[in-house]
Amino acid sequence: MTSVARIKLPPWSRLIALLIAASGLVLFLGGGYLIALGGSWAPAVIAALMLASGVLLLRGKRSGVLVYLAVFIVSLIVTLIESGDRFWGWVPRMGYVTGLGFFVALMLPFLYGEGKRNLGRGLAFACIAFAGAAFVGAFFPHYSEILADAPSSPLVAGGSAVERAAQKDSEWKAYGRDDDATRYSPLKQITTQNVGQLKVAWTYRTGDTPAGKFAAETTPIMVGDGLYLCTAMNNMVKLDPKTGKELWRFNVGLKHESLPYTAACRGVTHYVSKISNETDACHERIVEATLDMRLIAVDAKSGQPCQGFGTNGQVDLGLGMGKWVPGQLAVTSAPPIVNGTIVVNHQVLDNQRRWAPSGVIRGYDAETGAFKWAWDVNHPGNLWHEIPGPGQEYSRGTPNSWATMTGDDSLNMVYVPTGNSAADYYSKTRTDSENRVASAIVALDAGTGEEKWVFQNAHIDAWDYDMGSQPTLFEYPGAGGEKIPAMIISTKRGQNFIVDRRDGKPLLPVEERPAPAGNVPENPRAPTQPWSPGMPRFGFPDLKESTMWGMTPFDQLYCRIKFRQAHYVGEFTPPMAPPQPWIVFPGYNGGTDWGSVAYDPARGILVGNWNATPMYERLLTRAEAEAIPLYSIDNPKYKPGAGGAEGPGAMEDTPYAVDVAPFMVPGLNTLCTEPPYGMITAVDMHTKKVIWQHPLGTARANGPFGIPTYMPINVGTPNNGGPALTAGNLVFVAAATDNLIRALDIATGKELWSDVLPAGGQASPMTYSVDGKQFVVQMAGGHHFMMTPAGDYVVAYSLP
């Protein structure tokens, strides 16, 4: 009786065979669970072949090579079916398989004899070539499109944008540059031809980087002889716009305990008194609303408080708010001043309790700081004409507004982007009045607070689709050639609406489409939701299991399983009763947020950078919340760090708490959906078609486990902050998590210049000129939620 000698593999080959077998076993178990959840059979089939190949190779069987060849071929077929030409979809499906295939090819001479050495080397080289081609391909543009020529003429001939701006070309007098919030400057010293020569002109350090909550989000303003800004701690500063030298600083005395979720101060407001003389103190003043609920006015020349404004230059915004604690209420955006009325909104820390403090909107006299009115949707008549007295307070739990509002002097209106009622994910106790105005643009009479109209972006919102973007005003051509005062409403959903700002009526079609219902008892969803088919959407198609992603098949399988475990039926997937999780896409950081869009009125081009990031959410029973423990910030049991604007929220006064998180792989800190996650898009407003669209943000400062790759792969990262446009045919934008500021050609989106910022650039840039020299300024303060480096830098660029 004879025996067949088993082929003895070298130790490294046995280790590879063991790795193949172990990988196959793990993936087979996971793939089997995926099948049980109703998912694809493909991962389990490939894993079974991988397991068989590994076992056969461990036993020294030649057939192990043939079975591994089947692993490669089946993986390739599945990749072609599931991913097609989506480049990033190939990474988890073929990268790991190809890497192991390289070593299997080198086993050939040990299994088949020396005669197969060259074949083995050839196959190994083919694996290297395949992987190398993929690596090189990562540096080429993907998901980039140039679809049309950019227009060269205004949307409306002789539009009044310049007149309404009422400022010199050299200035940037408001957060959005002008009263229309266009973020467009007519300056053109810096052009597409010379922008590559930009160099740092000066850098200013604010000295404020609050530990753990850093995210200044500041855009300075430039008026007259000063560049004015606020720091992350609300301190106001005037700089020499030519040199960056500090001319004065007003310290507001903000305490760290007053910081809300984020230490953000997006900007300050410039105002010229209508009743004082030019030589009087505070004839020109800088106005700021703070994170600890104060309204402050200082003299623009000296930085000293305006004594005739409130008490020693300050107004207490906490009056009438009832019970609240530091960090629960804050103003993060520059308040607009409309025909002498300062209009103030404020954020209410998300998801703390249903009966949180009010989201009331208030008007104050810009000269004296005197209270004028308050718009409170649950108060009889919706208006207060005096501050609530003892035993009274503004209606609790009403929708708040935290984003930058837009004022319209010509119509005497202020346009308020509203958020949701308190307790974002539970709607049973909301009033009809709250549901009518939440997650909308609400137009108020700036002089009286009277409500003029409402345009809603999401009905009975349970997705945190609050309006983060500042409305942009522009002139729209009517059917008879007339100029219609219009508004661009950009949303977290990526929907872009165009309305008549006189009455809020749509100028392009708005469709009410059926929306899914949930199963949370007595928590009904709206039967329809609004869509804007007449404008390009800043977003991607609905998620599928096949678009789940990972760096390897292991994390991709994890994401596939998590996808199947969750409830998901497309946009407006509703909250589900515990313990069922659900997926929201786009999530609360999707579409366009507080950075807002920019509009070039000289050419009729709209530019917006946006996110495509999903959220994974679950309602928690009250017992689960207490076990965490999870309490509202105003509860004596609350512990700092346990619940905030993002992440788990107590939602006290309701049956549930909520857990909200980006849909990511734990530990790896990579999103579960295919890149890109951030894009920038230009739209021709003449045709309502996309001109170009590109991923925004490289992998140079990003990577698995938070480790930077230092590679300029334009993967498209999450971003916060908006663009600025110039008559030099340029788009300036930072925002992405690669810590770069960029200049793009507005006609094509091609990157013409970039520079590495000293910290994260989560803020919108601005531009101005002094003595004929144009500067571009970017705040580099970082952002804790975006996981970019903290800093306190204001960086100015100019031509040599």
Side-chain angles (χ1 to χ4, degrees):
M1 189 174 181
T2 61
S3 62
V4 179
R6 179 176 297 181
I7 298 172
K8 188 175 182 180
L9 294 172
W12 69 264
S13 297
R14 294 186 62 79
L15 285 174
I16 294 298
L18 181 62
L19 178 60
I20 293 171
S23 298
L25 178 61
V26 171
L27 293 171
F28 181 74
L29 293 174
Y33 182 47
L34 180 64
I35 293 171
L37 293 171
S40 170
W41 284 63
V45 170
I46 294 170
L49 291 170
M50 187 177 287
L51 175 60
S53 172
V55 171
L56 290 169
L57 290 172
L58 277 172
R59 297 178 62 191
K61 300 289 186 180
R62 296 173 176 175
S63 55
V65 175
L66 297 176
V67 176
Y68 196 84
L69 179 62
V71 170
F72 188 91
I73 293 172
V74 174
S75 295
L76 184 60
I77 293 171
V78 170
T79 301
L80 289 167
I81 293 172
E82 291 192 336
S83 296
D85 61 354
R86 298 196 317 273
F87 176 84
W88 295 113
W90 285 65
V91 173
R93 292 172 172 86
M94 296 304 302
Y96 189 72
V97 168
T98 302
L100 291 177
F102 167 81
F103 292 101
V104 172
L106 294 180
M107 294 182 193
L108 259 64
F110 301 105
L111 292 167
Y112 288 89
E114 284 297 318
K116 299 296 183 181
R117 182 173 295 278
N118 288 337
L119 175 62
R121 288 175 175 174
L123 290 174
F125 178 78
C127 289
I128 292 174
F130 185 71
F135 179 75
V136 172
F139 292 88
F140 285 82
H142 299 283
Y143 310 94
S144 288
E145 299 176 301
I146 301 175
L147 301 175
D149 293 332
S152 58
S153 60
L155 187 62
V156 175
S160 60
V162 174
E163 289 76 15
R164 283 201 312 276
Q167 65 181 315
K168 298 176 182 178
D169 287 355
S170 61
E171 295 179 334
W172 187 288
K173 77 165 192 176
Y175 176 71
R177 198 266 164 179
D178 47 44
D179 292 339
D180 290 345
T182 63
R183 294 166 180 79
Y184 169 81
S185 169
L187 295 177
K188 51 186 177 181
Q189 182 184 72
I190 303 171
T191 68
T192 54
Q193 284 72 42
N194 62 24
V195 68
Q197 302 173 40
L198 280 184
K199 302 293 182 184
V200 174
W202 53 260
T203 300
Y204 172 76
R205 303 288 299 272
T206 71
D208 288 344
T209 308
K213 294 187 175 184
F214 59 91
E217 302 180 2
T218 306
T219 298
I221 62 172
M222 188 275 185
V223 187
D225 65 351
L227 185 71
Y228 303 93
L229 64 129
C230 52
T231 74
M233 293 295 286
N234 281 144
N235 298 316
M236 287 188 274
V237 178
K238 179 180 181 179
L239 303 179
D240 182 326
K242 191 171 184 178
T243 65
K245 178 183 177 182
E246 182 178 297
L247 301 177
W248 57 251
R249 182 185 185 96
F250 180 77
N251 293 317
V252 304
L254 184 73
K255 297 179 180 179
H256 194 275
E257 66 183 28
S258 295
L259 297 179
Y261 167 70
T262 296
C265 184
R266 297 189 185 93
V268 296
T269 305
H270 177 266
Y271 178 69
V272 179
S273 172
K274 303 299 187 292
I275 62 174
S276 66
N277 298 316
E278 289 187 18
T279 56
D280 293 341
C282 285
H283 176 68
E284 284 190 62
R285 58 188 66 178
I286 302 299
V287 177
E288 175 195 55
T290 67
L291 298 173
D292 60 358
M293 298 294 283
R294 288 177 285 164
L295 184 62
I296 301 175
V298 302
D299 181 72
K301 293 181 179 179
S302 67
Q304 294 302 306
C306 296
Q307 295 303 319
F309 185 88
T311 303
N312 297 323
Q314 301 191 21
V315 172
D316 184 356
L317 298 177
L319 296 177
M321 296 302 298
K323 178 188 175 184
W324 63 282
V325 298
Q328 192 172 16
L329 303 177
V331 186
T332 56
S333 298
I337 301 178
V338 187
N339 293 327
T341 299
I342 305 173
V343 183
V344 181
N345 61 2
H346 61 269
Q347 72 173 46
V348 180
L349 193 64
D350 279 356
N351 294 318
Q352 300 304 295
R353 62 169 63 252
R354 172 64 184 102
W355 304 119
S358 179
V360 62
I361 308 297
R362 289 168 286 180
Y364 296 86
D365 189 295
E367 304 287 346
T368 66
F371 175 86
K372 296 182 72 171
W373 53 261
W375 178 72
D376 176 357
V377 296
N378 278 344
H379 186 66
N382 294 348
L383 285 173
W384 293 79
H385 299 289
E386 58 184 16
I387 298 173
Q392 296 179 310
E393 61 181 334
Y394 298 118
S395 304
R396 297 184 77 84
T398 54
N400 71 92
S401 169
W402 56 267
T404 305
M405 299 175 284
T406 303
D408 189 341
D409 285 347
S410 62
L411 296 178
N412 198 38
M413 288 189 199
V414 61
Y415 307 111
V416 182
T418 64
N420 212 343
S421 299
D424 282 341
Y425 302 92
Y426 187 76
S427 59
K428 175 185 176 181
T429 55
R430 298 177 194 168
T431 66
D432 291 341
S433 294
E434 292 173 61
N435 285 331
R436 182 179 59 82
V437 303
S439 302
I441 299 295
V442 178
L444 303 178
D445 185 296
T448 66
E450 177 188 358
E451 182 184 307
K452 308 301 283 188
W453 55 260
V454 177
F455 182 88
Q456 198 163 52
N457 149 72
H459 308 318
I460 315 182
D461 183 5
W463 304 273
D464 199 6
Y465 282 156
D466 46 4
M467 303 295 290
S469 186
Q470 182 184 22
T472 294
L473 312 184
F474 74 121
E475 301 293 331
Y476 190 81
E482 71 277 17
K483 302 172 188 174
I484 299 175
M487 175 190 296
I488 300 167
I489 301 174
S490 194
T491 71
K492 288 183 176 182
R493 296 174 51 212
Q495 297 290 322
N496 293 297
F497 300 95
I498 309 297
V499 304
D500 186 326
R501 66 176 187 268
R502 295 171 298 188
D503 54 21
K505 292 182 179 178
L507 294 172
L508 292 175
V510 174
E511 294 180 0
E512 288 287 339
R513 298 181 183 175
N519 69 349
V520 180
E522 300 182 277
N523 193 42
R525 303 272 58 80
T528 64
Q529 295 290 352
W531 295 73
S532 179
M535 279 288 290
R537 181 187 183 188
F538 293 168
F540 291 130
D542 288 345
L543 302 177
K544 298 183 292 185
E545 183 196 318
S546 60
T547 59
M548 295 300 101
W549 197 72
M551 299 293 291
T552 69
F554 302 99
D555 45 325
Q556 187 201 33
L557 181 58
Y558 168 86
C559 292
R560 281 182 181 260
I561 289 171
K562 295 297 288 185
F563 178 82
R564 285 295 178 181
Q565 287 176 332
H567 181 63
Y568 179 71
V569 289
E571 188 165 343
F572 293 110
T573 294
M576 302 298 287
Q580 176 72 63
W582 72 95
I583 296 171
V584 176
F585 181 74
Y588 62 67
N589 198 37
T592 307
D593 204 357
W594 52 265
S596 312
V597 295
Y599 177 69
D600 179 349
R603 301 179 64 172
I605 299 176
L606 176 72
V607 178
N609 49 287
W610 48 276
N611 288 313
T613 50
M615 294 292 155
Y616 205 85
E617 305 179 356
R618 186 170 75 89
L619 291 178
L620 308 174
T621 65
R622 191 53 56 197
E624 287 178 299
E626 291 177 357
I628 289 176
L630 195 58
Y631 296 101
S632 173
I633 191 174
D634 59 359
N635 189 317
K637 297 180 180 180
Y638 172 80
K639 294 181 179 179
E646 274 86 19
M651 291 208 306
E652 290 193 34
D653 312 318
T654 78
Y656 307 105
V658 66
D659 185 15
V660 180
F663 188 11
M664 302 180 77
V665 181
L668 276 179
N669 290 333
T670 55
L671 285 164
C672 269
T673 49
E674 286 181 10
Y677 309 118
M679 301 285 290
I680 186 166
T681 301
V683 177
D684 182 342
M685 291 300 293
H686 300 258
T687 63
K688 318 301 184 297
K689 302 295 184 182
V690 171
I691 304 169
W692 52 261
Q693 181 166 280
H694 304 294
L696 178 65
T698 69
R700 63 168 298 277
N702 305 277
F705 306 105
I707 301 172
T709 67
Y710 301 104
M711 291 188 289
I713 299 173
N714 198 17
V715 67
T717 70
N719 57 86
N720 269 149
L725 313 180
T726 73
N729 296 321
L730 292 169
V731 180
F732 288 99
V733 64
T737 57
D738 59 3
N739 310 325
L740 296 179
I741 180 172
R742 296 171 165 81
L744 313 178
D745 186 331
I746 197 172
T748 64
K750 179 183 178 182
E751 184 177 309
L752 303 176
W753 167 86
S754 68
D755 190 46
V756 179
L757 294 165
Q762 283 64 59
S764 300
M766 53 85 72
T767 186
Y768 61 88
S769 69
V770 181
D771 297 334
K773 190 175 189 66
Q774 185 179 354
F775 294 83
V776 175
V777 172
Q778 175 69 44
M779 176 73 203
H783 201 295
H784 63 104
F785 177 71
M786 306 295 285
M787 294 184 285
T788 55
D792 63 342
Y793 303 87
V794 181
V795 185
Y797 297 90
S798 66
L799 296 173

